[in-house]
Amino acid sequence: MLAVAVVGAAAVGVPAAAEPTPPEPSGRTVEYSVLARDGVDVGAVEAAVRAAGGTVTRDNPAAGLLTVEAPENGFTTRLSSVRSVLYVSRTVAIGHTPTKVPIVDRDAVEKENRAGGAGNRRDRPQPTGMDPLDGLLWGLRSVRSDLARTVQPGSKRVRVGVLDTGVDGSHPDIAPNFDAGLSRNFTHDIPVDGNGHLVDGPCEFRGCVDPPNWDDGGHGTHVAGTIAAAPNGIGITGVAPRVSIVNIRGGQDSGTFFLQPVVDALTYASDVGLDVVNMSFFVDPWLYNCAANPADTPEQRAQQRTVVTAMTRALNYAHRGGVTMVVSLGNQHEDNGAPKADETSPNFPVGSAHHRVIDNSSCLVLPIEGPHTIGVAAYGPSGAKADYSSYGLEQISVSAPGGYFRDFFGTPRFRTNENLVLSAYPRNVGVAAGSIDPATGEVTAAGASLGVRKSCRGAVCGYYQFLQGTSMAAPHAAGVAALIVSQYGRLVGRDMRMNPDDVQRVLENTAFRRSCPMPRTVDYTDEGRDDSFTATCVGGTDFNGFYGHGNVDAWAAVTSGEQYLG
């Protein structure tokens, strides 16, 4: 999974002791997230921000969240007695020059192979076949999308939002299903942070805002391809190959997700009537957002409460608007109901992490532990739980193909690219990674060793890469959710709509039941993992901590799901 960030916070919900004259704000310009109290009009908060010396650059009335630029010193003091303000959370300083500090690699799990080794009328379903590289998509067969498309390949009226690092809308397998009119980029490229550490690097486009059909990381395009790669005789097909893809970008080029863009993307999804949203990130800089962890400062506690409150509001708003939200369970290889000590937070800015004991009852991983989310765990081509996948009875709903590089230990298939998930790869990302020759367009020797593929139809060519992670499992489930809406949704105007609770009910009840392994405790020492990866499966065949309600099943969902609707 990737990450959402809010950096350096200050609590302002409780009035501070009165001061005769608060100091004038001073110092470098800093960006803040300002969160209004429940029921407060953001206009009143905007007025308070201006009075305190700040400038509102973005606002989201639905979530009561504002992004503000203000001087570093004195701004929070001036807001501390304003009763309409709940929290102020500092994000990043503006305008520093870069230093030669590399961007943190967030792909250790996903790129493990790089390390070596109003009515009831519906559209008539169109006949939909398979594409040249579909034989490499073991996940497509596992969820039985190859069968489901003979009944329901998905309706163009059903729109799936990809809340990620962007989507390459020009990719030949994405373009036929890409809704450019609704796609939005809610981010602004940040070359460096306030300490001079690289974040996104140099801006590629004027104004430092990427167009809504662009992806500099490749993660979002891979997700989009798994959901809805088009049946067009090139490359691959997706789980729901005829639904529409909408890019609602909330992630930076670097893979960091800041709070305001994510909240904006979620409320936008509701406002424009998206049916499903796929999310594969957690809230940076805190793996766990705790209300009152004794190891954290008051400012850090307020920062985490800001994230929890704003994300909860946005998730509730999206659900009320009819959005089914599918979220990856996490790559932390731990029981989400029995978290281990957190040694990695805050991971931004660099060097600020400290040891924290995590209280499960008051600490949340978001968005997976937020309301109305469908949590998806990952398994490999053998059906075994992937070693990296988080698990446990608390947050899991279903499981889906996520890839498992170390599957099939003791056989020639161990540590092979084909154990991962193949999907769309932006050409610009492949060129930057050295996997595609910029002059000839051919896959390089380095790219071939990683399993990068090229597929053409005439002069039109697309590229594809292998990745693994719960980020790859979630879009398999999101694709099945889109098929459910296509099959059972109601036509409202030009749109297909379905209550997200009904979508979840069909998804979970039609999943293929998987029992815990025997013995129930699995270690991965033969595969080269340490004891922290050892996992115990709790529960029965109908519901357990490794597979939830079971493996998502597109064929069962579109052929027998109606019995689970009220």
Side-chain angles (χ1 to χ4, degrees), residues 210-222:
D210 296 342
N213 65 345
W214 188 260
D215 180 9
D216 264 326
H219 190 273
T221 300
H222 195 282

Side-chain angles (χ1 to χ4, degrees), residues 1-3 103-117 217 219 254-255 282 330-333 344 387-389 402-406 415 420 450 465-472 529 533:
M1 292 198 307
L2 302 181
I103 298 173
V104 176
D105 182 8
R106 300 177 184 274
D107 300 323
V109 170
E110 293 174 358
K111 298 179 180 178
E112 186 185 356
N113 62 331
R114 269 70 166 171
H219 190 273
S254 61
F282 69 90
N331 297 337
Q332 287 75 44
H333 58 271
T344 63
D387 55 359
Y388 57 79
S389 181
Y404 178 16
F405 187 55
R406 304 183 189 213
R415 297 181 67 93
L420 280 62
L450 303 176
Q465 67 168 328
F466 284 100
L467 296 176
Q468 70 173 3
T470 55
S471 287
M472 285 65 248
R529 298 300 198 185
F533 284 80

Side-chain angles (χ1 to χ4, degrees), residues 472-548:
M472 285 65 248
H476 282 89
V480 177
L483 292 178
I484 291 169
V485 179
S486 299
Q487 183 71 3
Y488 306 113
R490 293 175 62 86
L491 189 62
V492 180
R494 296 183 177 182
D495 303 327
M496 296 294 292
R497 302 316 311 267
M498 187 171 176
N499 186 306
D501 293 336
D502 290 338
V503 177
Q504 182 171 359
R505 190 176 304 113
V506 174
L507 184 71
E508 292 177 347
N509 280 285
T510 59
F512 179 75
R513 300 296 187 254
R514 287 293 305 273
S515 300
C516 287
M518 296 302 291
R520 287 175 175 262
T521 297
V522 179
D523 71 58
Y524 299 92
T525 54
D526 285 342
E527 290 80 4
R529 298 300 198 185
D530 60 36
D531 290 343
S532 70
F533 284 80
T534 298
T536 299
C537 184
V538 176
T541 301
D542 289 339
F543 184 76
N544 60 68
F546 278 15
Y547 302 105

Side-chain angles (χ1 to χ4, degrees), residues 243-332:
V243 303
S244 297
I245 287 292
V246 180
N247 176 25
I248 50 171
R249 176 175 168 178
Q252 304 297 132
D253 291 343
S254 61
T256 300
F257 286 63
F258 289 89
L259 184 62
Q260 183 82 51
V262 171
V263 168
D264 288 349
L266 281 170
T267 58
Y268 174 80
S270 176
D271 291 342
V272 300
L274 301 191
D275 298 286
V276 180
V277 167
N278 187 95
M279 292 181 279
S280 299
F281 53 82
F282 69 90
V283 177
D284 229 348
W286 305 93
L287 174 58
Y288 289 92
N289 291 273
C290 303
N293 194 296
D296 301 332
T297 66
E299 291 78 15
Q300 291 171 335
R301 296 172 194 171
Q303 180 189 65
Q304 294 163 77
R305 292 196 292 268
T306 300
V307 173
V308 171
T309 304
M311 286 295 292
T312 298
R313 290 177 183 175
L315 292 167
N316 282 329
Y317 185 87
H319 180 263
R320 289 195 300 270
V323 181
T324 298
M325 292 173 286
V326 180
V327 183
S328 54
L329 198 62
N331 297 337
Q332 287 75 44

Side-chain angles (χ1 to χ4, degrees), residues 125-129 144-153 555 558-559:
Q126 304 175 54
T128 301
R144 300 206 289 178
S145 170
D146 54 335
L147 298 179
R149 67 189 56 195
T150 65
V151 174
Q152 179 56 265
W555 169 252
V558 300
T559 58

